[in-house]
Amino acid sequence: MVKLTDYFFSTYKEEPGNADIPGYALSIRAGLIKKTAAGIYTFMPLGLKVLGKIEKIIREEMDSTGALEILMPALQPADLWIQSGRWQQYGPELFRLKDRNDRQFCLGPTHEEIITNIAHQNIKSYKDMPLNLYQIQVKFRDEIRPRYGILRAREFIMKDAYSFTANEKDLDSIYESMYKCYSNIIERLGLKYFAVEADTGLIGGKYSHEFIILAKNGEDEIVYCPGCSYSANYEMADFRSKEDVSLTEEKDTPDYSEVSTPGITDIKSLSTFLSLPEERIIKTLFLKDCEKNIYAFLVSGHRELNIAKVQKFLGKNLEMADDEVSNLNIGYAGPAGLDSRILIYADNDLKHKSGMAAGANRPGFHLINIDCTRDFKPHAWGDFVYPQKGDICPNCEHELIFEKGIEIGHIFKLGTKYSEKMNAMFLDSDGKLKPVIMGCYGIGVSRILAAVIEQLNDSRGIVWPLSIAPFLVNIIAINIEDDDVKSASDMIYDKLLKSGIEVMYDNRNVRAGVKFKDSDLIGIPIKLIVGKNFPENKTVELELRKDGYKKTLDLDSAIRFIAEYPSGSHF
RNA sequence: CGGGGUGUAGCGCAGUUUGGCUUAGCGCGCCUGCUUUGGGAGCAGGAGGCCGGAGGUUCAAAUCCUCUCACCCCGACCA
């Protein structure tokens, strides 16, 4: 495939100045990408080769589900976005620009508007569906803070698919096939991952999954159960708290009473002051909706309120109320004796607890011995908090495990949000005009490249999975100035080429150490080392990048080993 | 957008506090030659900079002042 003296690449011994995660540092050091501007990268030949292989896998898997590839424009007219309402909704993340005639455009961060417009023009009957269209395209998002190289770039490559169906059943079946498709893709990449239930947001459909690759430096957090198949986005996760007998309801607990707690306005100091664990304190938080209605949320003192869950529960947007509740004795608020006009919502974790402390709704005082059953009646109980270490799987008895990861895919049932706004209607078999039901399925192509490096590396460099390694084998000619070694290496290179093996030939006139280090840095799975042993004994040495396994073989055996290595039948 | 920081050779940095000791330096990389060749070689020679940009102060500015631009870190954001 390539002789290194003819190739365009360079590696770096030194760490780049501004790479704060190993994957990014390696992608620069291995010469895969070059930064052009903040969050904007150039793919060099080696990086592009890997990117192409990732795209190939995605295309193969998508095509096998029956999806059809299209290519939409990166530059999109504003009027479609105005129709969908997102021209206003989308913040400064949307790259907006004007043409010479002062017409508004944007660089697409996603393509719902374009594709829904296509659907509007082309889908007329239920007979035109189901349909699943995808593209691999450059996307733009003016990230507030691009970071970690191509893991979070402003210009990036994404595969996005959009499905169109006449009914929910067909949507479900495409959703399922996309779920399977994404799992297949990630498995072919040889990565550890979870498909977790994800937040659908306020507009969201019922169902959404994120595909998360495990990586220490990931920006997403997930929880999963080691005992069953349960896994979820940290934000979304269901859980049960460990039953703590000492906190559960006892008969004949004393009535609550007021204690003076001057200057104590936070859980930590209250816990210290009263010598009570944080679990025995009721934290009272106030949220407001857009009409400035105030809601009180009660959670256990050691837990954090999860606004995403709360919003989902109430079905409306909420934020912390600060100014609006100055009359409510912040720091001394509590459920017992609270202004009765405020609706109280209590986290499930408090159910049946007694002997709790909470604010007395009077500056400088808290109540103790509150019984959560007896002393207040919340408007509703619910799950309003994040899971914590020690919490139990909702489906079985195991303790949940927390891991960090990188989101590389997201599948989503859109429903009729866009088709209604953009008038993508079809005539159903019952003769009625209905909005097309849509789904969207994204997978970050360039982000996969970054995520793979982030998950699969060691102190020497990248360790590519075989499916996307830029080359399968690297011929390392020790001392290319030795004519015997050079002619042998040339011959071996030709032979590997003829066998259809993806081969890189390091024919540079540099010392062996340089070649070994570079080969390991750029992560070529197999090194084929040609030294004096070949002219003398007709043997070459093979070494695997993954585990350092070495073997000295005659040439034919070596070639057979290499050819068979990807199928796992090597000896 | 708020807070902080950095711009000096392709990359990584020193020099800036206290203006002149610099013809602006070091390491890596690059070019030439010789030696070397199984885990980032040695020697010798060399190329490469309007010190981010624009104004100012001064006899004199990489160094001081003003304004700009770019990049980075922390926070809020994230189909």
Side-chain angles (χ1 to χ4, degrees), chain A residues 278-296:
Chain A
E278 293 184 5
E279 289 89 322
R280 299 193 62 165
I281 296 170
I282 299 172
K283 182 154 52 175
T284 306
L285 299 154
F286 296 104
L287 298 184
K288 62 177 175 192
D289 61 19
C290 54
E291 285 144 12
K292 304 238 155 132
N293 296 311
I294 304 296
Y295 305 85

Side-chain angles (χ1 to χ4, degrees), chain A residues 129-131 163-168 170-171 174 426 435-438:
Chain A
M129 297 182 281
L131 182 65
S163 71
F164 304 92
T165 48
N167 55 60
E168 292 283 339
D170 288 351
L171 173 63
I174 291 185
F426 71 100
V436 168
I437 299 172
M438 293 174 58

Side-chain angles (χ1 to χ4, degrees), chain A residues 412-447:
Chain A
F412 210 90
K413 292 185 185 175
L414 277 179
T416 56
K417 182 185 177 216
Y418 292 92
S419 46
E420 278 174 23
K421 285 215 166 97
M422 301 184 67
N423 200 29
M425 311 294 281
F426 71 100
L427 208 53
D428 207 350
S429 54
D430 58 8
K432 288 191 175 135
L433 204 57
K434 297 176 184 172
V436 168
I437 299 172
M438 293 174 58
C440 79
Y441 318 93
I443 191 162
V445 181
S446 47
R447 178 176 271 195

Side-chain angles (χ1 to χ4, degrees), chain A residues 31-55:
Chain A
L32 304 177
I33 55 170
K34 301 271 183 205
K35 186 160 98 174
T36 300
I40 313 274
Y41 293 84
T42 297
F43 287 88
M44 302 301 280
L46 200 61
L48 186 62
K49 191 129 202 298
V50 177
L51 197 69
K53 291 197 159 193
I54 296 170
E55 290 181 357

Side-chain angles (χ1 to χ4, degrees), chain A residues 168-446:
Chain A
E168 292 283 339
K169 194 171 138 273
D170 288 351
L171 173 63
D172 290 347
S173 109
I174 291 185
Y175 188 92
E176 282 308 310
S177 77
M178 285 297 104
Y179 186 101
K180 190 80 197 21
C181 174
Y182 279 27
S183 305
N184 290 344
I185 289 168
I186 303 174
E187 271 157 34
R188 284 179 69 177
L189 297 169
L191 296 172
K192 292 193 200 112
Y193 77 103
F194 280 95
V196 302
E197 291 173 20
D199 188 6
T200 52
L202 281 176
I203 0 120
K206 313 109 243 177
Y207 216 42
S208 171
H209 283 91
E210 285 173 350
F211 289 79
I212 307 276
I213 287 181
L214 296 185
K216 281 193 292 294
N217 293 295
E219 293 183 277
D220 292 282
E221 200 167 349
I222 62 160
V223 301
Y224 69 93
C225 172
C228 68
S229 61
Y230 182 77
S231 60
N233 182 304
Y234 172 67
E235 295 258 321
M236 281 285 295
D238 288 333
F239 64 92
R240 291 176 297 145
S241 55
K242 238 179 216 164
E243 276 309 316
D244 185 339
V245 182
S246 69
L247 296 180
T248 52
E249 198 172 16
E250 296 161 27
K251 300 289 169 231
D252 305 323
T253 50
D255 284 353
Y256 64 77
S257 54
E258 208 171 63
V259 292
S260 171
T261 52
I264 310 282
T265 58
D266 60 277
I267 301 291
K268 216 177 189 128
S269 41
L270 185 64
S271 167
T272 312
F273 187 83
L274 296 176
S275 301
L276 273 178
E278 293 184 5
E279 289 89 322
R280 299 193 62 165
I281 296 170
I282 299 172
K283 182 154 52 175
T284 306
L285 299 154
F286 296 104
L287 298 184
K288 62 177 175 192
D289 61 19
C290 54
E291 285 144 12
K292 304 238 155 132
N293 296 311
I294 304 296
Y295 305 85
F297 282 87
L298 309 180
V299 304
S300 174
H302 69 301
R303 293 197 177 270
E304 292 297 321
L305 184 71
N306 180 338
I307 295 187
K309 281 186 181 175
V310 167
Q311 292 187 144
K312 207 171 163 129
F313 189 88
L314 291 186
K316 52 175 90 176
N317 233 324
L318 295 167
E319 54 184 294
M320 292 300 290
D322 296 321
D323 309 335
E324 290 82 354
V325 294
S326 48
N327 57 330
L328 291 174
N329 305 308
I330 296 298
Y332 296 102
L338 184 69
D339 185 332
S340 58
R341 286 166 300 181
I342 297 174
L343 290 182
I344 296 178
Y345 293 84
D347 183 66
N348 289 336
D349 198 26
L350 294 171
K351 237 179 212 173
H352 311 308
K353 300 266 167 81
S354 60
M356 306 290 285
N361 298 306
R362 178 152 92 93
F365 291 91
H366 280 84
L367 302 176
I368 55 170
N369 286 321
I370 288 185
D371 183 318
C372 293
T373 311
R374 179 189 66 193
D375 296 327
F376 63 90
K377 291 275 175 284
H379 182 67
W381 293 94
D383 173 18
F384 303 130
V385 297
Y386 293 100
Q388 286 183 345
K389 208 165 159 33
D391 288 336
I392 310 292
C393 172
N395 302 330
C396 70
E397 298 307 317
H398 289 84
E399 210 173 277
L400 290 170
I401 294 177
F402 294 73
E403 291 269 13
K404 292 211 159 170
I406 297 164
E407 177 192 346
I408 61 158
H410 198 158
I411 58 178
F412 210 90
K413 292 185 185 175
L414 277 179
T416 56
K417 182 185 177 216
Y418 292 92
S419 46
E420 278 174 23
K421 285 215 166 97
M422 301 184 67
N423 200 29
M425 311 294 281
F426 71 100
L427 208 53
D428 207 350
S429 54
D430 58 8
K432 288 191 175 135
L433 204 57
K434 297 176 184 172
V436 168
I437 299 172
M438 293 174 58
C440 79
Y441 318 93
I443 191 162
V445 181
S446 47

Side-chain angles (χ1 to χ4, degrees), chain A residues 541-560:
Chain A
E541 188 178 332
L542 292 183
E543 184 183 327
L544 300 185
R545 174 66 179 91
K546 198 172 64 176
D547 52 13
Y549 171 85
K550 282 186 203 173
K551 194 147 184 85
T552 302
L553 294 168
D554 64 79
L555 185 56
D556 287 340
S557 307
I559 290 176
R560 194 161 3 108

